[in-house]
Amino acid sequence: MGWRRINGRHTSRGQINYAVPDALQLQRRIRRYHADHGVQHGDIVAIALDAFLRAKGYPPDLTPPKHEER
């Protein structure tokens, strides 16, 4: 599964912060999933958001960036 590639020390990471409705209890549910499966909180969010965006027709651009010549 592709999500295993994000579960590693050497994975470059960026921060995203969004306010979400408390009624969804996302933080509590993420903590429970982490406790049951050992998947890190950021990875859970990344996997879920990636699946949503892919399903809506927004896959990642997986072409490697071109290095600038000096």
Side-chain angles (χ1 to χ4, degrees):
M1 185 184 275
W3 68 268
R4 292 177 193 260
R5 285 180 277 161
I6 67 168
N7 191 14
R9 282 187 169 170
H10 304 292
T11 300
S12 178
R13 295 181 177 266
Q15 186 76 29
I16 58 172
N17 293 307
Y18 288 97
V20 294
D22 289 335
L24 295 177
Q25 301 176 347
L26 293 175
Q27 291 177 340
R28 180 184 67 82
R29 293 160 58 200
I30 287 170
R31 284 192 303 269
R32 288 181 60 200
Y33 188 88
H34 169 70
D36 290 345
H37 300 279
V39 179
Q40 295 303 312
H41 298 181
D43 291 346
I44 295 167
V45 173
I47 293 163
L49 190 52
D50 180 57
F52 172 82
L53 291 171
R54 285 174 190 257
K56 297 296 183 180
Y58 296 91
D61 180 8
L62 298 178
T63 57
K66 295 180 181 178
H67 296 288
E68 293 181 21
E69 293 189 28
R70 298 178 187 202

